[in-house]
Protein backbone atom coordinates (compact mmCIF):
# COMPACT_ATOMS: atom_id res chain seq x y z
CA UNK A 1 0.00 0.00 0.00
CA UNK A 2 2.84 2.41 0.81
CA UNK A 3 4.36 1.74 -2.60
CA UNK A 4 1.02 2.48 -4.30
CA UNK A 5 0.57 5.69 -2.31
CA UNK A 6 4.08 6.86 -3.19
CA UNK A 7 3.36 6.22 -6.88
CA UNK A 8 0.21 8.36 -6.79
CA UNK A 9 2.00 11.11 -4.86
CA UNK A 10 4.75 11.16 -7.46
CA UNK A 11 2.19 11.52 -10.24
CA UNK A 12 0.59 14.45 -8.44
CA UNK A 13 3.86 16.36 -8.06
CA UNK A 14 5.24 15.81 -11.55
CA UNK A 15 4.18 16.58 -15.10
CA UNK A 16 4.99 13.04 -16.23
CA UNK A 17 2.55 10.94 -18.17
CA UNK A 18 -0.46 9.88 -16.12
CA UNK A 19 -0.92 6.19 -16.76
CA UNK A 20 -3.70 4.02 -15.42
CA UNK A 21 -3.12 0.43 -16.58
CA UNK A 22 -6.33 -1.30 -17.47
CA UNK A 23 -8.40 1.69 -18.62
CA UNK A 24 -7.80 0.98 -22.32
CA UNK A 25 -8.93 -2.61 -21.81
CA UNK A 26 -12.07 -1.43 -20.04
CA UNK A 27 -12.88 0.80 -23.01
CA UNK A 28 -12.48 -2.05 -25.47
CA UNK A 29 -14.63 -4.45 -23.42
CA UNK A 30 -17.39 -1.85 -23.03
CA UNK A 31 -17.34 -1.02 -26.76
CA UNK A 32 -17.47 -4.71 -27.67
CA UNK A 33 -20.46 -5.26 -25.38
CA UNK A 34 -22.30 -2.47 -27.21
CA UNK A 35 -21.47 -4.12 -30.56
CA UNK A 36 -22.81 -7.50 -29.37
CA UNK A 37 -26.01 -5.93 -28.06
CA UNK A 38 -26.63 -4.21 -31.39
CA UNK A 39 -25.97 -7.48 -33.24
CA UNK A 40 -28.58 -9.11 -31.00
CA UNK A 41 -31.06 -6.38 -31.98
CA UNK A 42 -30.45 -7.18 -35.65
CA UNK A 43 -31.09 -10.86 -34.94
CA UNK A 44 -34.34 -9.92 -33.23
CA UNK A 45 -35.37 -7.82 -36.24
CA UNK A 46 -34.55 -10.71 -38.60
CA UNK A 47 -36.32 -13.14 -36.25
CA UNK A 48 -33.45 -15.57 -36.02
CA UNK A 49 -32.06 -17.45 -33.06
CA UNK A 50 -28.52 -16.81 -31.88
CA UNK A 51 -25.87 -19.42 -31.15
CA UNK A 52 -24.71 -17.22 -28.28
CA UNK A 53 -26.39 -16.66 -24.93
CA UNK A 54 -28.64 -13.64 -25.54
CA UNK A 55 -27.42 -10.40 -23.98
CA UNK A 56 -30.16 -8.19 -22.48
CA UNK A 57 -30.56 -4.95 -24.39
CA UNK A 58 -30.16 -2.96 -21.17
CA UNK A 59 -26.57 -4.24 -20.89
CA UNK A 60 -25.68 -1.98 -23.82
CA UNK A 61 -26.97 0.99 -21.85
CA UNK A 62 -24.90 -0.09 -18.85
CA UNK A 63 -21.81 -0.36 -21.06
CA UNK A 64 -22.37 3.25 -22.10
CA UNK A 65 -22.83 4.19 -18.45
CA UNK A 66 -19.44 2.59 -17.81
CA UNK A 67 -18.00 4.84 -20.54
CA UNK A 68 -19.51 7.86 -18.80
CA UNK A 69 -18.07 6.92 -15.40
CA UNK A 70 -14.68 6.26 -16.99
CA UNK A 71 -14.74 9.63 -18.78
CA UNK A 72 -15.66 11.43 -15.57
CA UNK A 73 -12.88 9.66 -13.68
CA UNK A 74 -10.10 10.20 -16.22
CA UNK A 75 -10.94 13.77 -17.23
CA UNK A 76 -11.36 14.87 -13.60
CA UNK A 77 -8.06 13.31 -12.56
CA UNK A 78 -6.20 14.89 -15.48
CA UNK A 79 -7.69 18.32 -14.73
CA UNK A 80 -6.76 18.02 -11.04
CA UNK A 81 -3.24 17.03 -12.06
CA UNK A 82 -3.00 19.91 -14.56
CA UNK A 83 -4.17 22.43 -12.01
CA UNK A 84 -1.60 21.22 -9.47
CA UNK A 85 1.22 21.15 -12.04
CA UNK A 86 0.56 24.50 -13.75
CA UNK A 87 -1.51 26.41 -11.21
CA UNK A 88 -4.58 26.55 -13.42
CA UNK A 89 -6.61 24.72 -16.06
CA UNK A 90 -6.07 25.84 -19.64
CA UNK A 91 -9.66 25.64 -20.84
CA UNK A 92 -8.82 26.55 -24.43
CA UNK A 93 -6.28 23.75 -24.78
CA UNK A 94 -8.72 21.33 -23.18
CA UNK A 95 -11.38 22.20 -25.75
CA UNK A 96 -8.91 21.76 -28.62
CA UNK A 97 -7.86 18.35 -27.31
CA UNK A 98 -11.44 17.15 -27.16
CA UNK A 99 -12.35 18.65 -30.56
CA UNK A 100 -9.41 17.02 -32.30
CA UNK A 101 -10.11 13.65 -30.67
CA UNK A 102 -13.89 13.54 -31.06
CA UNK A 103 -15.13 15.71 -33.90
CA UNK A 104 -13.40 14.24 -37.00
CA UNK A 105 -14.91 10.78 -36.57
CA UNK A 106 -18.19 12.12 -35.18
CA UNK A 107 -18.91 14.23 -38.26
CA UNK A 108 -17.61 11.59 -40.67
CA UNK A 109 -19.98 8.95 -39.27
CA UNK A 110 -22.84 11.46 -39.34
CA UNK A 111 -22.11 12.25 -43.00
CA UNK A 112 -21.92 8.59 -44.01
CA UNK A 113 -25.10 7.67 -42.15
CA UNK A 114 -27.15 10.55 -43.53
CA UNK A 115 -25.87 10.66 -47.10
CA UNK A 116 -25.23 6.98 -47.86
CA UNK A 117 -26.57 4.45 -45.34
CA UNK A 118 -30.06 5.97 -45.26
CA UNK A 119 -30.20 6.75 -48.96
CA UNK A 120 -33.01 4.64 -50.44
CA UNK A 121 -31.56 5.04 -53.94
CA UNK A 122 -28.32 3.38 -52.84
CA UNK A 123 -29.31 0.99 -50.03
CA UNK A 124 -33.09 0.60 -50.23
CA UNK A 125 -33.32 -2.52 -48.06
CA UNK A 126 -31.81 -0.90 -44.95
CA UNK A 127 -32.45 2.85 -45.37
CA UNK A 128 -34.88 4.49 -42.96
CA UNK A 129 -37.20 6.90 -44.82
CA UNK A 130 -37.97 8.75 -41.57
CA UNK A 131 -34.41 10.10 -41.52
CA UNK A 132 -34.99 12.33 -44.55
CA UNK A 133 -38.57 13.15 -43.60
CA UNK A 134 -37.38 14.54 -40.26
CA UNK A 135 -34.66 16.62 -41.89
CA UNK A 136 -33.40 19.27 -41.41
CA UNK A 137 -34.35 19.23 -37.71
CA UNK A 138 -32.64 15.94 -36.94
CA UNK A 139 -29.45 16.75 -38.84
CA UNK A 140 -29.32 20.20 -37.20
CA UNK A 141 -29.48 18.65 -33.72
CA UNK A 142 -26.65 16.28 -34.60
CA UNK A 143 -24.56 19.06 -36.12
CA UNK A 144 -24.73 21.16 -32.94
CA UNK A 145 -23.83 18.10 -30.80
CA UNK A 146 -27.34 17.55 -29.43
CA UNK A 147 -28.05 14.02 -30.70
CA UNK A 148 -29.34 13.18 -27.21
CA UNK A 149 -32.19 15.64 -27.81
CA UNK A 150 -32.89 14.04 -31.20
CA UNK A 151 -32.89 10.65 -29.47
CA UNK A 152 -35.37 11.86 -26.85
CA UNK A 153 -37.79 13.09 -29.52
CA UNK A 154 -37.36 9.93 -31.63
CA UNK A 155 -35.59 11.82 -34.40
CA UNK A 156 -32.37 9.84 -34.37
CA UNK A 157 -30.48 9.13 -37.59
CA UNK A 158 -30.29 5.38 -38.10
CA UNK A 159 -26.71 4.03 -38.07
CA UNK A 160 -25.61 7.24 -36.36
CA UNK A 161 -27.83 6.84 -33.31
CA UNK A 162 -24.81 5.74 -31.24
CA UNK A 163 -23.64 9.37 -31.45
CA UNK A 164 -26.08 10.34 -28.69
CA UNK A 165 -23.57 9.31 -26.02
CA UNK A 166 -20.76 11.22 -27.75
CA UNK A 167 -22.96 14.32 -27.73
CA UNK A 168 -23.60 13.85 -24.00
CA UNK A 169 -19.86 13.62 -23.35
CA UNK A 170 -19.24 16.76 -25.40
CA UNK A 171 -21.77 18.62 -23.26
CA UNK A 172 -19.93 17.35 -20.20
CA UNK A 173 -16.57 18.47 -21.63
CA UNK A 174 -17.99 21.93 -22.30
CA UNK A 175 -18.62 22.71 -18.64
CA UNK A 176 -16.28 20.43 -16.67
CA UNK A 177 -12.95 22.28 -17.17
CA UNK A 178 -14.62 25.57 -16.13
CA UNK A 179 -16.00 23.81 -13.10
CA UNK A 180 -12.59 22.35 -12.16
CA UNK A 181 -10.76 25.62 -12.77
CA UNK A 182 -12.96 27.97 -10.78
CA UNK A 183 -13.87 25.89 -7.75
CA UNK A 184 -11.62 25.11 -4.83
CA UNK A 185 -11.01 21.65 -3.41
CA UNK A 186 -14.07 21.55 -1.15
CA UNK A 187 -16.21 23.26 -3.78
CA UNK A 188 -15.32 20.59 -6.31
CA UNK A 189 -16.29 17.80 -3.96
CA UNK A 190 -19.60 19.25 -2.79
CA UNK A 191 -20.58 20.31 -6.30
CA UNK A 192 -19.99 16.83 -7.71
CA UNK A 193 -21.92 15.32 -4.81
CA UNK A 194 -24.73 17.84 -5.37
CA UNK A 195 -24.87 16.88 -9.07
CA UNK A 196 -25.39 13.23 -8.19
CA UNK A 197 -28.00 13.88 -5.49
CA UNK A 198 -29.67 16.63 -7.50
CA UNK A 199 -30.09 14.52 -10.62
CA UNK A 200 -31.62 11.67 -8.61
CA UNK A 201 -34.04 13.99 -6.81
CA UNK A 202 -35.09 15.92 -9.93
CA UNK A 203 -35.58 12.80 -12.05
CA UNK A 204 -37.62 10.97 -9.41
CA UNK A 205 -39.44 14.14 -8.39
CA UNK A 206 -40.49 14.67 -12.00
CA UNK A 207 -41.82 11.11 -12.12
CA UNK A 208 -43.86 11.91 -9.01
CA UNK A 209 -45.28 15.03 -10.69
CA UNK A 210 -46.89 12.85 -13.36
CA UNK A 211 -49.33 11.60 -10.72
CA UNK A 212 -50.45 15.16 -9.98
CA UNK A 213 -50.19 16.62 -13.50
CA UNK A 214 -51.34 13.83 -15.82
CA UNK A 215 -52.21 16.34 -18.54
CA UNK A 216 -48.48 17.07 -18.89
CA UNK A 217 -47.38 13.46 -18.79
CA UNK A 218 -45.81 13.43 -22.28
CA UNK A 219 -43.71 16.51 -21.56
CA UNK A 220 -42.63 15.14 -18.19
CA UNK A 221 -41.81 11.70 -19.63
CA UNK A 222 -39.58 13.31 -22.26
CA UNK A 223 -37.86 15.39 -19.59
CA UNK A 224 -37.19 12.25 -17.53
CA UNK A 225 -35.87 10.50 -20.64
CA UNK A 226 -33.54 13.42 -21.36
CA UNK A 227 -32.20 13.39 -17.80
CA UNK A 228 -31.68 9.63 -18.00
CA UNK A 229 -29.81 9.98 -21.28
CA UNK A 230 -27.68 12.90 -20.09
CA UNK A 231 -26.25 11.05 -17.06
CA UNK A 232 -24.00 13.86 -15.91
CA UNK A 233 -24.52 12.36 -12.47
CA UNK A 234 -22.78 9.16 -13.60
CA UNK A 235 -19.83 11.21 -14.84
CA UNK A 236 -19.82 13.06 -11.51
CA UNK A 237 -19.57 9.70 -9.71
CA UNK A 238 -16.48 8.97 -11.81
CA UNK A 239 -15.24 12.44 -10.89
CA UNK A 240 -15.72 11.71 -7.21
CA UNK A 241 -13.62 8.56 -7.64
CA UNK A 242 -10.84 10.63 -9.22
CA UNK A 243 -11.14 13.25 -6.47
CA UNK A 244 -10.81 10.57 -3.79
CA UNK A 245 -7.80 9.01 -5.52
CA UNK A 246 -6.08 12.34 -6.01
CA UNK A 247 -6.60 13.85 -2.57
CA UNK A 248 -6.96 10.70 -0.44
CA UNK A 249 -4.86 7.98 -2.10
CA UNK A 250 -4.18 6.14 1.15
CA UNK A 251 -7.90 5.82 1.89
CA UNK A 252 -8.61 4.65 -1.67
CA UNK A 253 -5.90 1.99 -1.56
CA UNK A 254 -7.22 0.69 1.75
CA UNK A 255 -10.71 0.61 0.26
CA UNK A 256 -9.67 -1.39 -2.83
CA UNK A 257 -7.07 -3.59 -1.11
CA UNK A 258 -9.23 -6.71 -0.62
CA UNK A 259 -9.46 -9.25 -3.42
CA UNK A 260 -12.70 -10.48 -1.85
CA UNK A 261 -14.35 -7.12 -2.46
CA UNK A 262 -13.16 -7.33 -6.08
CA UNK A 263 -14.87 -10.70 -6.42
CA UNK A 264 -18.09 -9.52 -4.77
CA UNK A 265 -18.32 -6.42 -6.97
CA UNK A 266 -17.56 -8.37 -10.15
CA UNK A 267 -20.15 -11.08 -9.37
CA UNK A 268 -22.73 -8.44 -8.41
CA UNK A 269 -22.32 -6.60 -11.70
CA UNK A 270 -22.40 -9.78 -13.80
CA UNK A 271 -25.40 -11.31 -12.03
CA UNK A 272 -27.52 -8.15 -11.96
CA UNK A 273 -26.71 -7.21 -15.56
CA UNK A 274 -27.25 -10.73 -16.94
CA UNK A 275 -30.63 -10.90 -15.19
CA UNK A 276 -31.59 -7.49 -16.58
CA UNK A 277 -32.10 -6.25 -13.03
CA UNK A 278 -33.51 -2.75 -12.69
CA UNK A 279 -32.63 -0.82 -9.54
CA UNK A 280 -35.58 1.46 -8.67
CA UNK A 281 -34.89 5.21 -8.42
CA UNK A 282 -31.08 4.93 -8.68
CA UNK A 283 -30.51 2.43 -11.50
CA UNK A 284 -27.59 4.01 -13.36
CA UNK A 285 -26.21 5.64 -10.22
CA UNK A 286 -26.08 2.28 -8.44
CA UNK A 287 -24.19 0.67 -11.29
CA UNK A 288 -21.96 3.75 -11.61
CA UNK A 289 -20.72 3.31 -8.04
CA UNK A 290 -19.84 -0.32 -8.79
CA UNK A 291 -18.18 0.71 -12.05
CA UNK A 292 -16.18 3.38 -10.22
CA UNK A 293 -14.87 0.70 -7.87
CA UNK A 294 -13.94 -1.50 -10.85
CA UNK A 295 -12.05 1.41 -12.44
CA UNK A 296 -10.17 2.23 -9.24
CA UNK A 297 -9.25 -1.38 -8.50
CA UNK A 298 -8.45 -2.27 -12.10
CA UNK A 299 -6.22 0.75 -12.69
CA UNK A 300 -4.59 1.40 -9.31
CA UNK A 301 -4.07 -1.97 -7.65
CA UNK A 302 -1.26 -4.17 -9.01
CA UNK A 303 -2.41 -7.74 -9.37
CA UNK A 304 -6.09 -6.87 -9.18
CA UNK A 305 -8.35 -9.52 -10.70
CA UNK A 306 -10.16 -6.59 -12.34
CA UNK A 307 -7.04 -5.39 -14.13
CA UNK A 308 -6.53 -6.19 -17.79
CA UNK A 309 -3.25 -4.90 -19.13
CA UNK A 310 -0.71 -5.64 -21.82
CA UNK A 311 0.23 -4.44 -25.27
CA UNK A 312 -2.71 -6.19 -26.93
CA UNK A 313 -5.20 -4.63 -24.55
CA UNK A 314 -3.60 -1.20 -25.00
CA UNK A 315 -3.79 -1.59 -28.78
CA UNK A 316 -7.44 -2.63 -28.68
CA UNK A 317 -8.18 0.18 -26.25
CA UNK A 318 -6.85 2.74 -28.71
CA UNK A 319 -9.35 1.41 -31.23
CA UNK A 320 -12.31 1.48 -28.82
CA UNK A 321 -13.59 4.89 -29.93
CA UNK A 322 -13.48 3.75 -33.55
CA UNK A 323 -15.15 0.44 -32.69
CA UNK A 324 -17.99 2.28 -30.99
CA UNK A 325 -18.35 4.76 -33.85
CA UNK A 326 -17.97 2.38 -36.84
CA UNK A 327 -19.82 -0.72 -35.69
CA UNK A 328 -23.28 0.46 -36.77
CA UNK A 329 -22.06 1.10 -40.32
CA UNK A 330 -20.50 -2.37 -40.48
CA UNK A 331 -23.70 -3.94 -39.13
CA UNK A 332 -25.70 -1.96 -41.68
CA UNK A 333 -23.64 -3.33 -44.56
CA UNK A 334 -23.97 -6.86 -43.17
CA UNK A 335 -27.76 -6.40 -43.06
CA UNK A 336 -27.70 -5.11 -46.63
CA UNK A 337 -25.80 -8.19 -47.79
CA UNK A 338 -28.18 -10.52 -45.93
CA UNK A 339 -31.26 -8.92 -47.47
CA UNK A 340 -29.79 -8.41 -50.95
CA UNK A 341 -28.72 -12.02 -51.32
CA UNK A 342 -31.85 -13.31 -49.53
CA UNK A 343 -29.86 -15.25 -46.95
CA UNK A 344 -32.29 -17.09 -44.69
CA UNK A 345 -30.26 -19.81 -42.99
CA UNK A 346 -29.80 -18.91 -39.34
CA UNK A 347 -26.33 -20.41 -39.13
CA UNK A 348 -25.09 -18.37 -42.10
CA UNK A 349 -26.57 -15.14 -40.72
CA UNK A 350 -25.06 -15.79 -37.31
CA UNK A 351 -21.71 -16.42 -38.94
CA UNK A 352 -21.95 -13.15 -40.86
CA UNK A 353 -22.98 -11.18 -37.80
CA UNK A 354 -20.48 -12.55 -35.30
CA UNK A 355 -17.46 -13.91 -37.13
CA UNK A 356 -17.38 -11.16 -39.74
CA UNK A 357 -18.93 -8.05 -38.17
CA UNK A 358 -16.77 -8.01 -35.05
CA UNK A 359 -13.42 -8.60 -36.85
CA UNK A 360 -14.48 -6.24 -39.66
CA UNK A 361 -15.31 -3.53 -37.14
CA UNK A 362 -11.89 -3.93 -35.52
CA UNK A 363 -10.21 -3.80 -38.94
CA UNK A 364 -12.13 -0.69 -40.01
CA UNK A 365 -11.38 0.93 -36.64
CA UNK A 366 -7.66 0.21 -37.08
CA UNK A 367 -7.69 1.77 -40.56
CA UNK A 368 -9.65 4.70 -39.18
CA UNK A 369 -7.14 5.15 -36.36
CA UNK A 370 -4.17 5.01 -38.73
CA UNK A 371 -5.43 7.21 -41.54
CA UNK A 372 -8.20 9.41 -40.11
CA UNK A 373 -7.66 9.83 -36.38
CA UNK A 374 -3.85 9.84 -36.15
CA UNK A 375 -3.30 13.06 -38.16
CA UNK A 376 -5.63 14.89 -35.78
CA UNK A 377 -4.06 13.22 -32.74
CA UNK A 378 -0.67 14.56 -33.81
CA UNK A 379 -2.13 18.06 -33.84
CA UNK A 380 -3.82 17.34 -30.51
CA UNK A 381 -0.44 16.62 -28.92
CA UNK A 382 0.43 20.32 -29.29
CA UNK A 383 -2.28 21.20 -26.78
CA UNK A 384 -1.41 18.57 -24.16
CA UNK A 385 -0.56 19.88 -20.69
CA UNK A 386 -0.56 16.56 -18.81
CA UNK A 387 -0.02 13.48 -20.93
CA UNK A 388 -2.20 10.44 -20.52
CA UNK A 389 -1.93 6.99 -22.03
CA UNK A 390 -5.72 6.69 -21.96
CA UNK A 391 -7.04 10.15 -22.84
Amino acid sequence: MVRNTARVAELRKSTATVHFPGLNAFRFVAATVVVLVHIALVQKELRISSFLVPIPQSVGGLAVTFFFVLSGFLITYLLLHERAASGTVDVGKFYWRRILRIWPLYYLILFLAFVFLNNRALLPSIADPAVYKQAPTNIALYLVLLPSLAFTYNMQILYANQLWSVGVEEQFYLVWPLFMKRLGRSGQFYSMLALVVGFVLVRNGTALLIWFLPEYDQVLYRFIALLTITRIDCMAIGGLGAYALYYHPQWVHRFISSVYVDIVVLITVLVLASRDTFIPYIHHEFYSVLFCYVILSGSCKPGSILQLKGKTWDWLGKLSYGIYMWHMAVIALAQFAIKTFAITQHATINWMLYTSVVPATILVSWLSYQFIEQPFLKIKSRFVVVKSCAA
Side-chain angles (χ1 to χ4, degrees), residues 229-298:
I229 286 174
T230 302
R231 284 182 230 171
I232 294 294
D233 53 338
C234 299
M235 299 183 202
I237 289 172
L240 285 169
Y243 178 96
L245 177 63
Y246 192 83
Y247 287 117
H248 305 285
Q250 291 181 327
W251 179 85
V252 169
H253 284 290
R254 283 198 297 268
F255 179 66
I256 65 175
S257 61
S258 173
V259 67
Y260 299 109
V261 178
D262 288 356
I263 294 171
V264 169
V265 170
L266 181 60
I267 292 176
T268 300
V269 170
L270 293 177
V271 170
L272 293 180
S274 64
R275 291 176 175 268
D276 201 12
T277 305
F278 179 78
I279 310 299
Y281 309 112
I282 54 168
H283 181 70
H284 287 286
E285 293 80 10
F286 175 83
Y287 281 101
S288 293
V289 172
L290 296 180
F291 292 155
C292 191
Y293 177 90
V294 170
I295 291 167
L296 287 169
S297 179

Side-chain angles (χ1 to χ4, degrees), residues 106-142:
Y106 176 95
Y107 286 109
L108 175 60
I109 295 296
L110 177 59
F111 174 79
L112 292 174
F114 189 80
V115 175
F116 294 102
L117 297 178
N118 284 290
N119 190 325
R120 292 185 69 81
L122 296 175
L123 304 171
S125 62
I126 63 169
D128 180 6
V131 169
Y132 286 171
K133 290 179 181 178
Q134 294 171 337
T137 304
N138 56 357
I139 191 69
L141 289 172
Y142 276 81

